[in-house]
Amino acid sequence: MAIIFSEELESALNESFKEAQLKRHRVITVEHLLLALLKNTMALEVMKECGVSVDVLRKELTDFIDETNRGIEPFEGNKGRNIKWLKERKF
């Protein structure tokens, strides 16, 4: 059975996957996903309406991700892969 994601969710998951790959992190965390959502117009509007300082959040997320992933062996596999493999995976 294939998994069906909304276009916006798929885009955010792909963006978080790319972010983790760029930094050579072995895992995608909720922080990677939140950082990716900062590039989503609808998510940005919601955050701003809730009083979130987007620039501060972006910096704090980036710092946290870099700090907590320090010392983790870089992951070289799955280059060029996106979230499509997860949708097509049989569970």
Side-chain angles (χ1 to χ4, degrees):
M1 172 200 263
I3 299 173
I4 299 173
F5 294 131
S6 74
E7 194 173 308
E8 288 200 352
L9 175 58
E10 186 171 342
S11 176
L13 290 170
N14 277 325
E15 218 26 70
S16 62
F17 195 85
K18 288 177 194 174
E19 183 68 31
Q21 279 186 318
L22 282 172
K23 293 182 175 283
R24 299 178 66 211
H25 295 158
R26 285 181 86 52
V27 296
I28 299 171
T29 64
V30 69
E31 291 83 12
H32 287 103
L33 180 57
L34 186 52
L35 194 59
L37 286 172
L38 292 176
K39 297 177 182 178
N40 177 291
T41 306
M42 190 183 326
L44 273 176
E45 287 178 25
V46 170
M47 288 183 216
K48 287 177 182 176
E49 285 294 319
C50 292
V52 173
S53 173
V54 174
D55 292 333
V56 171
L57 179 59
R58 183 177 288 112
K59 176 162 181 8
E60 288 183 359
L61 282 169
T62 301
D63 291 348
F64 178 81
I65 290 169
D66 290 344
E67 191 173 303
T68 57
N69 283 286
R70 189 175 295 147
I72 296 175
E73 183 181 326
F75 185 57
E76 295 295 334
N78 299 328
K79 287 188 177 177
R81 184 183 269 188
N82 59 26
I83 206 65
K84 183 179 178 187
W85 70 270
L86 177 61
K87 288 175 52 179
E88 294 171 350
R89 185 171 174 204
K90 305 287 186 212
F91 290 94

